[in-house]
Every structure is written in structure tokens, then in C-alpha cells.
Amino acid sequence: MIVCEGLCMDLQDFHLHNLDLRVGTGEYCCIMGPSGAGKTVLLECIAGLHRPSEGRILIRGKDVTAMVPEQRRISIVYQDYSLFPHLTGYENVAFGLRMQKIDPDRIRTDVISMLEKFRIAYLLDRYPSTMSGGEQQRVALARALIVQPEILLLDEAFAALDPVSRQQCMHDLRTLQQSRKLTVIHVTHAWDEAHILADRVAVIIAGKFVQHGTVQEVYARPASESVARFVGTDNVLPGRIVAHSPGLSTVDVGGIRIRACSDAPLTGNVIVCIRGAAWNVIPVPARLDSVNLVTGTLRERSRLGDLERMEVDCGTLLIAIARSTDLQKQNIQSGDPITLQVDPSDVHLIGEDKARPVGNSGTANVPGYP
Amino acid sequence: MNPEAGRSYPGAFVGIMLLLGSIVIGITLLGLGVITAAELADPGHFLAVAFDPAVASALWITFSAATVAVLLLGLVGTSLAYVLARSRNRFAGIAESLVDLPLVLPHTVAGLLVYLIFFSRGPIGSPAAGIGLLFEDAFPGIVAAMFFVASPFYINSVREGFEKVPPHLENVARTLGASPLQVFLHVTLPLSTRQIASGAALAWGRAVGEFAAVVIIAYFPMVISTLIYSRFTTGGLAEARSIAFVMILLCLCGFFTYRALIRFGGKRHDRV
């Protein structure tokens, strides 16, 4: 459907380097990355608002790199929704049809129908300044979709919404996208949005795509240390491979031996990634035959709703997340000894080049694993 | 209930600022008071001057030339203001400095520049004379001088207005199928109406008040400033003062009307 090939672009402080992206028809692709990574510039390139210095953009096989935005049939919704403040809700939604000089009677019919579909018919005569964030977002989506775009671009379009409106808007958008088989490219920081909405994720850091894949793949198996930190992996630790057997590597992390499922034989230094929630708090006495048992001292606890974030000093500082009720049952307080355990399949290793993903191969038939 | 409740405490700092700031208003009010008192002391003389055909003619020439100058600025100045608002290169910086040049030039120098361009052997005056358009001691010369000195007031105000229109709005409009001209007409221009009107009023006021630049290229037909100066040097203070009072009354009426219109018409643009 849409293909970006070798896109390069320099725009003030933003630089895109040789970006390749393929998004299929009806696919929902999230582009994720830290602030300043070039996500919005990329969207604007796709929309035709900036001309790339190198590379090309194809839509349904047709090169549109030189095509002006008004001919591309790509709509964009920004984080601030960018409603025209001097126009009413009706006039905002009708704007695209008016520019295309559609018959006024048809415009009225289409706009009313669209407003009803988004349950915002009551916003017909209201100006954007009198609308809530959720209402503005619906008007912006209605305005973007009424022109029947082939591709919808969303630039952090849910970031400014309250949690309830956000959930509702995400649900509505996903339903609409699936029913229309709409191709969506959505720039976001929020992993929960990607989990709910995205078929695929592309991570962009410093103007380069550093990883593509499903949300689960990128979340569980970051391809580099920078991706691991971006996806919020709690423990990103330097380690050294000390032993390798088929499907299992043993890593020394600051004196702790941790086993990880890994397909590729690794040697030398690696980055060890473990999500905080992957640690289990083991009641003492622990099962001696368990792998990846780590004993340390609980330094600090902080509440995360029903969960607790713990800093555990085992020579190396580890971050673990556990249910508050589990900790209460075991009566563990700050300063107490604590034993943690992690499944080798939840330990992800990144090779020394920090770019090559070294994936886990699952949990089946791993020697030594109970 | 304390009637002062909800009001902020003025404090000594605000008081000092108010005192210093009131000097500006005070000088203007003092001038207006002095001239009003003098004119009210001899209403017969004031009315005779107010209905003098030469005064009426000078007022008509002044206001119409200023209006033509502002209309021309609206045509070419708006385009330049848009380009400057959307450009981020060093040439834009140079162009902005050139736009501001009339602000820092002595008005006689501005007048000389206008004269050198528009007199009958100047680069524009010469070909214009070929088609019968004369600038020296003619209405077009007055318009040219007013256009030159008023241009920074209009262009800077309109540029600020365009800069306040978020580029995202224009981007969205483009993706919805609007051409660059449609975006300008339907999004950028309506959202800058207040700054355009404000710039036009400032430029018009500046044009109406111009003397030195105008007098160099066109002593005749007399604009009101030239007439006041002429009467001051030939007829004395009383005659010049009465014409000035007529001018003050007309300008105050004009600007109060303008502000009322802007307040009324600009309400919807406060949403930007």
C-alpha cells in the first residue's frame, strides 16, 4: 500500500536517515520513538508537506514523492487536533469537501451523517474553543475521514485526552479502521496505544528505524540497548557470556549468574534485558533446583497502583515489580533479604554490537528449567 | 461582604509603575487640554478655519492619499508579510531589515529616497512620466511618500498575524484538498484579520501624519501637515492651531470608530 524507500530529510533539528517503511492496505502501523526522533517529520513527508532530500514514497506502487499534499488522499490528525478556530464544528468537517467544490447539498448530507457516526451532531454550531478535548478529537477525525482518505496519519492524536475519552476514542478508531480497512500510520509514545491499536510497530530513534515487528516482539525482544530503554525495560544491564549450551546462555551480570534462552551462540559482552514484572518473589526457603535465583536486600519500595516497584541490591541493583498483596503475604520490608527468580525465556540478550536482536526461543525443553 | 474582595493588592511597585506610566498619558492630555481650551475661547475663529475650503481640500487629499497608500500596501505588503512569516532563511532576515529601514531613517531622508526614485528622471518616475503619471507635486507623489513611510507598520503587524497562525492548520488544510491559495484565503487570512486591520490602521495613521517625506516630493497639492506648517509660518500660531484642532477631532473620531469595529469584528478571532 505505502512504501517509503531510503527516505532522507534534514529539517532544522530533525534528520531522517535512509528510512524504509512498508505498510500494507488496512494495516495499523505505530511509529514509536522518543521526542525529537523525527516521527512527525516522517509523517509530514508521507503527507507531502515536506519533500525528502533523497528516497521516494510509493502509494499502491505509484511514486508520489513529487505529488502535492492535496492530491495524495492522505489525511493527518495532529496531537492538538488543529481544528480551524474560526469555523464551527460543521464548517470544520465540511472544509475538505468545500475545497473540492462538492455540491453543497451533498456536503450537508455527508457532514451530518459523519457527525452522527461520531456521535457529535450536537457540535454542529459550536466553535472548537467551546469543545472538550475528546469532542475536538472526534471532530478532527470526522474532518479527516470525510474526504475518504486512503491513508490516515495520526500524530500523537490521543496524547492530550483524559483516560476515559482516550480509551473510548481508541476503541472507536480501531472499530472504524477495521470496518473501513483503513491504512493508518500512528505516531505515539504510548505503549498501551500500540498494544490496543497496532498490527505492527516501527521504532525510530535519532532519525533511523531501529526495529520493526509486532508490538509483542518489540516489547519483549528489543533489538538494541536504546530500544530496550525506550520500551521501558526496567533492567538493562551489561553482562558477559560465560557459558553456552544449545538454546541457553549463561551470563555474568556483576557477579550474578543469569541464564537466558537464546538461539544464537553469543560470546563476549552482551546487554541483559529483564522486565521488572518478569521477576518472581520467591518465598524462603527457595527451591534449590530453580534457575536464576538471585538473593539480595530490598532497598526501596514504591507504589505503582496495585503493584510495587522494588530496588533490590544483589551487588548489582535490580528492579523488580510485584503485586503488593504478594509482598504483604511474605511480610517483606525494606532492608529485608529477598529472593527473586526469573524465567530464562524472560531474559533477553542483545549482542555487543547493540543492534542485532538475539531472540528468546521460548521455554520448551530448556535443560535445568523446572 | 467586603466590596474589595477579589481585587488584587496594588502594592507599591504597581503604584510607582502607574505614576511613571501616567506621564505619557499626562503629556498627551495636557496638550489636548491646552489646544481645546484655546479653541473654545474663540469658537468663531475655529469654525471659520474648520469650514475653510483650503482646509477641507487638504483633509480630503490627506485622507484619500493615505487610504490609497494603505490599499496598495494591502496588495503588496500582505504578500511580503506572508513570505517573511513563513521563511526561516537569512534572506528573510535581510528583507526584514529592509522593511524596517523607513522606521530608522530621518523622514527627510525617506523623502529624498522617494524623490530620487519617483522624480521625473528617477528609475520609476521616468517611465511613469512616459505614460503621463507624474509624481512631483502631484497626488501620486504624496501616495508614494506615504506608502514608503507607512510600509513597516503594516508589514510588521501583518507578519506577526501570519506567524500566529499555526503551520499545522495550513498543513491539515492542504491534506484536506486545499491548494496553497485556498489555504491562504480560507485559513491564514481569516485568522489574521485582526492584525491586518491593526496594521492598516497604524499605517494609515502614520501616512496621515507624514510631513517631511511628503513635502520633499509634493509640496502641492497640500496635505494637512503641509498646510498647518504653511499657515504656522505665514498666518501664525492661532491659524495653525485651529487646523490642528480640526485634525485632532477627526483623528480621534476615526480611531474610536476603528477600535469599536475591531472589538466587534475581532471577537471570533480571539479563539485562535
Side-chain angles (χ1 to χ4, degrees):
Chain A
M1 171 65 184
I2 180 158
V3 178
C4 300
E5 287 180 349
L7 278 195
C8 295
M9 167 96 197
D10 290 311
L11 186 76
Q12 291 161 20
D13 294 336
F14 297 102
H15 310 282
L16 304 181
H17 305 286
N18 200 25
L19 295 186
D20 291 320
L21 179 72
R22 284 171 183 273
V23 182
T25 304
E27 193 171 29
Y28 199 117
C29 174
C30 274
I31 295 176
M32 309 193 71
S35 297
K39 306 183 294 291
T40 301
V41 175
L42 173 62
L43 279 197
E44 290 178 343
C45 268
I46 292 170
L49 298 162
H50 305 301
R51 185 96 183 251
S53 51
E54 282 178 48
R56 56 186 197 147
I57 299 166
L58 299 107
I59 296 175
R60 293 189 190 283
K62 184 184 173 191
D63 189 340
V64 299
T65 317
M67 190 184 274
V68 291
E70 54 266 35
Q71 291 173 356
R72 290 197 185 195
R73 297 192 61 206
I74 297 177
S75 290
I76 189 165
V77 176
Y78 285 106
Q79 180 180 356
D80 60 3
Y81 317 125
S82 293
L83 295 181
F84 305 124
H86 59 303
L87 302 180
T88 61
Y90 174 87
E91 290 166 336
N92 261 283
V93 178
F95 184 89
L97 300 180
R98 275 180 57 217
M99 293 302 107
Q100 293 168 23
K101 302 200 175 359
I102 306 286
D103 173 59
D105 289 338
R106 212 196 108 197
I107 291 179
R108 181 140 197 97
T109 315
D110 286 3
V111 172
I112 300 289
S113 156
M114 186 58 90
L115 290 172
E116 280 169 357
K117 199 172 285 176
F118 277 87
R119 303 188 297 279
I120 48 171
Y122 63 96
L123 297 174
L124 205 71
D125 298 320
R126 286 194 15 207
Y127 285 93
S129 59
T130 67
M131 298 176 192
S132 69
E135 289 170 338
Q136 288 189 39
Q137 215 252 10
R138 284 168 189 281
V139 174
L141 276 174
R143 182 181 65 177
L145 293 174
I146 200 166
V147 292
Q148 308 275 341
E150 285 192 275
I151 299 159
L152 177 65
L153 306 176
L154 302 173
D155 185 10
E156 299 189 39
F158 302 112
L161 293 179
D162 64 84
V164 176
S165 304
R166 191 161 162 262
Q167 287 295 331
Q168 185 64 51
C169 282
M170 280 196 284
H171 174 263
D172 290 352
L173 178 65
R174 188 60 168 154
T175 309
L176 189 91
Q177 183 261 337
Q178 286 174 339
S179 66
R180 286 191 174 202
K181 299 211 180 327
L182 187 65
T183 307
V184 180
I185 302 177
H186 180 170
V187 157
T188 180
H189 289 289
W191 278 97
D192 63 331
E193 285 179 17
H195 274 291
I196 293 168
L197 296 166
D199 299 313
R200 272 194 328 116
V201 168
V203 180
I204 184 172
I205 292 177
K208 291 178 186 168
F209 278 130
V210 290
Q211 192 168 2
H212 296 260
T214 64
V215 186
Q216 289 73 21
E217 278 168 2
V218 175
Y219 199 62
R221 301 206 294 267
S224 67
E225 183 178 349
S226 53
V227 177
R229 294 194 187 281
F230 171 69
V231 302
T233 306
D234 303 285
N235 300 284
V236 182
L237 307 163
R240 191 170 53 82
I241 299 284
V242 290
H244 186 79
S245 56
L248 198 69
S249 294
T250 305
V251 194
D252 180 279
V253 181
I256 309 165
R257 294 291 168 101
I258 292 178
R259 292 186 187 180
C261 294
S262 93
D263 292 332
L266 286 164
T267 53
N269 294 331
V270 290
I271 299 293
V272 180
C273 302
I274 307 169
R275 304 201 70 80
W279 291 107
N280 300 305
V281 180
I282 301 294
V284 177
R287 286 176 56 185
L288 295 175
D289 58 342
S290 292
V291 293
N292 289 346
L293 277 178
V294 176
T295 303
T297 307
L298 179 59
R299 289 290 176 218
E300 216 171 294
R301 294 168 60 171
S302 49
R303 293 289 294 230
L304 300 169
D306 292 338
L307 303 173
E308 286 207 38
R309 180 180 184 275
M310 300 176 287
E311 290 183 9
V312 178
D313 186 356
C314 323
T316 293
L317 196 68
L318 298 176
I319 307 296
I321 293 170
R323 280 205 298 266
S324 301
T325 48
D326 291 349
L327 293 178
Q328 281 162 7
K329 275 182 204 163
Q330 295 181 41
N331 195 25
I332 301 172
Q333 305 296 328
S334 293
D336 289 352
I338 185 169
T339 304
L340 302 172
Q341 188 267 334
V342 65
D343 189 312
S345 66
D346 288 329
V347 180
H348 171 61
L349 302 183
I350 299 169
E352 195 181 14
D353 59 1
K354 296 179 184 175
R356 187 164 55 96
V358 185
N360 298 322
S361 60
T363 57
N365 304 320
V366 179
Y369 184 69
Chain B
M1 189 181 160
N2 182 1
E4 298 290 311
R7 292 189 188 174
S8 58
Y9 295 97
F13 174 72
V14 176
I16 291 167
M17 299 298 270
L18 189 65
L19 193 68
L20 290 172
S22 62
I23 292 172
V24 179
I25 303 285
I27 289 172
T28 307
L29 285 175
L30 188 65
L32 289 172
V34 168
I35 199 167
T36 307
E39 289 308 308
L40 290 180
D42 188 0
H45 179 260
F46 168 67
L47 289 174
V49 171
F51 291 102
D52 179 349
V55 174
S57 166
L59 284 172
W60 166 249
I61 288 166
T62 307
F63 291 153
S64 55
T67 306
V68 173
V70 170
L71 288 174
L72 288 173
L73 270 175
L75 196 67
V76 296
T78 307
S79 312
L80 177 59
Y82 183 76
V83 172
L84 293 177
R86 292 288 178 259
S87 300
R88 288 285 170 271
N89 56 40
R90 61 194 169 98
F91 297 111
I94 295 168
E96 281 175 18
S97 303
L98 287 173
V99 165
D100 288 340
L101 193 63
L103 289 176
V104 294
L105 285 178
H107 289 195
T108 43
V109 177
L112 274 174
L113 283 181
V114 172
Y115 184 77
L116 288 170
I117 298 166
F118 289 98
F119 86 117
S120 57
R121 280 176 288 143
I124 295 178
S126 174
I131 57 166
L133 182 62
L134 297 172
F135 288 89
E136 285 168 274
D137 283 331
F139 185 81
I142 300 170
V143 172
M146 288 179 170
F147 179 94
F148 186 69
V149 296
S151 57
F153 293 88
Y154 180 81
I155 292 165
N156 286 337
S157 174
V158 177
R159 177 174 54 80
E160 282 170 25
F162 288 152
E163 281 172 350
K164 281 181 185 165
V165 177
H168 280 182
L169 294 184
E170 296 179 339
N171 289 348
V172 166
R174 291 291 303 275
T175 61
L176 292 171
S179 67
L181 178 64
Q182 285 177 312
V183 173
F184 182 72
L185 293 176
H186 294 280
V187 178
T188 318
L189 212 50
L191 292 175
S192 311
T193 314
R194 180 179 283 236
Q195 282 78 10
I196 291 171
S198 170
L202 282 172
W204 190 83
R206 184 70 197 79
V208 162
E210 185 52 38
F211 169 61
V214 170
V215 86
I216 286 178
I217 192 162
Y219 190 88
F220 292 105
M222 278 191 187
V223 294
I224 199 72
S225 307
T226 313
L227 184 67
I228 291 172
Y229 179 73
S230 166
R231 294 287 173 90
F232 180 71
T233 52
T234 56
L237 178 62
E239 204 160 328
R241 190 187 60 213
S242 294
I243 304 172
F245 192 61
V246 173
M247 185 70 181
I248 288 168
L249 289 180
L250 287 173
C251 284
L252 282 177
C253 287
F255 271 89
F256 280 129
T257 311
Y258 161 78
R259 289 185 73 86
L261 285 174
I262 285 292
R263 202 173 298 124
F264 176 74
K267 269 181 187 167
R268 65 180 189 160
H269 300 298
D270 290 338
R271 299 187 183 98
V272 179

